[in-house]
Amino acid sequence: MMIAQELGIYVVESKRGAILCLLLSLLCLGTWPALMALLERRGRLPQHTYLDYSITNFLAAIFIAFVFGGIGESTHEAPSFITQLTQIQDNWPSVLFAMAGGVGLSTTVNYFLDNGLNRADILFSGVGCFLVAVCLGSAVHSSNSADIKAKLGKLSGDCETVTPEECQRLFGVEEEEEEKEMENVKEGSAAFLIALENKRAIKVLGKSMVVGLGITFFAGLSFSLFSPLFNLATNDQWHTLKQGVPKLIVYTAFFYFSLSCFVIAVALNISFLYKPVLDSPRSSFREYLSDWNGRGWALAAGLLCGFGNGLQFMGGQAAGYAASDAVQALPLVSTFWGIYLFGEYRRSSTRTYALLVGMLVMFTVAVGLLMASAGERETRFT
C-alpha cells in the first residue's frame, strides 16, 4: 500500500508509494505555471492572478495538514498536526526552518543532510543530467529568441528596438481586432507574435534579456533553498530541538511553510498593485476584487501548486529529499503545455527543435535516475 496509518498520522511508507507521490507532484508542479502563463497571455495582471493563487495554495496546505496529519490518536512520539499546532512543545527551531523554506544546491545538500539515504552513484548521475538539461534549456531559449528576431526582422531592421506600438503599426493590427487576429494568423508567425504582444499583460518585445535572466537567477536561488530547509524542519539533522521534543511531522512543517509563502505573496502582490514592476499597469485592491476574468484558472493553479508541494514533501520524507528533487524537472510538463496550449516553438528553426528534443530527453533521464536513487527512510515512530 502507498499510505499507511501509523500512530495517528498518515505516512508514505514504501519506495513505490514515494515515487507515485513524486510523479503526481511533477504533474501538478509542471501544470500550474502553464495556467498562470495562460492568464498573463490573455492580459490578466499577474498581481491579480498571484493573489488568487496564494489563497488556494494555502487552503491546499490546510486541507493536507488536517486530513493527513490530524486523523487518529496522537502520541508523544508522533503528535498529530492539531497537537503540534495548539500545544507548546518548544519546537520553534524546526518551525523557523519550515517558515524560512517558504521565504526562499538543493539536491547535494539534501543528500548530505539525509546521511547518504540515496544511492550516490545514481543520484549524482541524475544531477549531471539535470545540469546538461538546464544548459540545453538556455540554448533553446537563445535559439528561439533568434528565430523570433529573424521573423520580426523582415519588417524592422533592428528588432531590439521594436516597441509594441511600432509592431502594431507595422502589422496594421488594431487593438479591438487583437482577439480576431490571434485566431486568424498561424501560430508562431510574426503576425501571431505581434498580436500576442499587444494582448499580454507584461510586454516582452524590446526588453533587456539581462533583467530577465537576473530575475530568473534570483528566483532559482530562492527556490533551491526551500527543500533543504524543509528537510531540516522535519528531521532535525542539526539537533536544534531539546531532548524529548518530538520532531515536526511533515504536515505541520508544510503548514508553516505554506503560511509564510501566503503572507509574503499577499504582501508583495498588494504592493505591486500600487507600485507595479516591469512596466505593468497600475491597479488597486478594489480592481483586484472586481476582476473575475480568469479567476477560476488562477484558483486552480494555487490548488495544483499546493498539492504538488505537499506530495513532494510526503514522498521526500519517505524516500529522501534528494530523490524528491526529481520534481524540479517540471519543464517536462510545462513545455508540453506550452506547445499544446500556446503554440510555442511553432515555425522555429531546425536548430531550436533539436535543442528542445535534447533538453526534454535529458530531463527525462534525470527524473528516472533521481527516482531510481530513492531509498527508504527508517521510521522514527518505532
Side-chain angles (χ1 to χ4, degrees):
M1 292 179 63
M2 183 187 77
I3 296 178
Q5 185 177 18
E6 187 171 322
L7 295 178
I9 63 172
Y10 283 94
V11 295
V12 180
E13 62 177 3
S14 68
K15 179 178 177 179
R16 180 179 299 178
I19 291 176
L20 179 58
C21 283
L22 296 180
L23 288 174
L24 291 174
S25 174
L26 177 62
L27 178 62
C28 292
L29 294 179
T31 300
W32 75 263
L35 297 181
M36 306 288 268
L38 175 66
L39 295 176
E40 186 276 326
R41 292 165 71 100
R42 290 181 174 179
R44 192 170 198 251
L45 290 181
Q47 304 96 305
H48 294 186
T49 299
Y50 271 98
L51 284 170
D52 290 333
Y53 153 92
S54 299
I55 294 171
T56 47
N57 184 62
F58 186 46
L59 289 177
I62 294 176
F63 175 85
I64 290 174
F66 275 98
V67 172
F68 293 103
I71 297 177
E73 182 182 356
S74 175
T75 67
H76 178 75
E77 293 80 10
S80 69
F81 164 69
I82 298 296
T83 299
Q84 290 198 320
L85 186 67
T86 58
Q87 296 184 8
I88 299 176
Q89 295 188 322
D90 201 17
N91 54 17
W92 279 105
S94 293
V95 170
L96 291 176
F97 278 130
M99 298 186 74
V103 174
L105 148 202
S106 127
T107 304
T108 302
V109 173
N110 277 321
Y111 172 76
F112 288 108
L113 286 177
D114 281 337
N115 295 320
L117 175 64
N118 305 98
R119 287 189 55 182
D121 53 341
I122 300 177
L123 177 71
F124 288 106
S125 296
V127 172
C129 291
F130 259 119
L131 292 176
V132 173
V134 169
C135 293
L136 288 172
S138 178
V140 169
H141 176 76
S142 177
S143 181
N144 191 51
S145 297
D147 293 342
I148 292 174
K149 290 179 182 179
K151 295 172 186 176
L152 299 179
K154 295 178 181 179
L155 295 179
S156 173
D158 184 6
C159 294
E160 290 291 342
T161 61
V162 174
T163 65
E165 292 76 14
E166 291 172 334
C167 291
Q168 187 180 58
R169 175 180 56 78
L170 288 169
F171 283 93
V173 181
E174 299 296 333
E175 185 174 354
E176 61 271 14
E177 296 179 353
E178 289 170 5
E179 190 73 32
K180 182 179 178 181
E181 190 72 17
M182 291 285 288
E183 296 175 355
N184 294 336
V185 299
K186 294 183 179 179
E187 291 181 336
S189 65
F192 178 87
L193 295 172
I194 301 307
L196 173 62
E197 178 73 5
N198 291 332
K199 187 178 180 182
R200 67 189 310 163
I202 299 178
K203 309 302 181 185
V204 297
L205 290 182
K207 296 296 176 64
S208 171
M209 185 181 296
V210 176
V211 174
L213 289 175
I215 294 174
T216 303
F217 177 80
F218 176 77
L221 181 62
S222 301
F223 196 64
S224 69
L225 296 176
F226 80 81
S227 181
L229 288 169
F230 195 93
N231 196 345
L232 287 168
T234 54
N235 296 300
D236 192 37
Q237 293 92 336
W238 289 356
H239 306 293
T240 57
L241 297 177
K242 296 180 180 179
Q243 187 174 2
V245 176
K247 301 171 184 177
L248 288 186
I249 61 172
V250 66
Y251 308 110
T252 306
F254 183 45
F255 171 79
Y256 284 114
F257 167 89
S258 301
L259 175 62
S260 62
C261 284
F262 175 74
V263 171
I264 291 175
V266 170
L268 282 177
N269 284 284
I270 288 180
S271 68
F272 288 155
L273 290 175
Y274 298 94
K275 295 181 179 180
V277 296
L278 301 176
D279 298 326
S280 59
R282 189 177 185 275
S283 185
S284 67
F285 193 71
R286 177 176 294 182
E287 291 180 37
Y288 156 70
L289 292 176
S290 62
D291 180 11
W292 288 90
N293 182 27
R295 173 157 286 163
W297 289 115
L299 296 174
L303 287 175
L304 284 172
C305 184
F307 282 107
N309 282 330
L311 287 166
Q312 177 188 356
F313 295 143
M314 291 165 66
Q317 185 64 17
Y321 285 98
S324 75
D325 287 331
V327 303
Q328 306 309 326
L330 54 88
L332 272 175
V333 181
S334 298
T335 301
F336 167 79
W337 288 121
I339 294 172
Y340 179 75
L341 292 177
F342 310 137
E344 292 181 351
Y345 306 110
R346 300 286 174 88
R347 304 170 70 89
S348 293
S349 65
T350 302
R351 180 175 183 271
T352 298
Y353 287 138
L355 290 170
L356 179 63
V357 170
M359 179 193 74
L360 295 178
V361 168
M362 294 308 297
F363 269 128
T364 302
V365 174
V367 169
L369 288 173
L370 262 67
M371 289 190 176
S373 75
E376 292 189 22
R377 192 188 302 274
E378 294 183 6
T379 177
R380 64 173 183 264
F381 304 135
T382 57

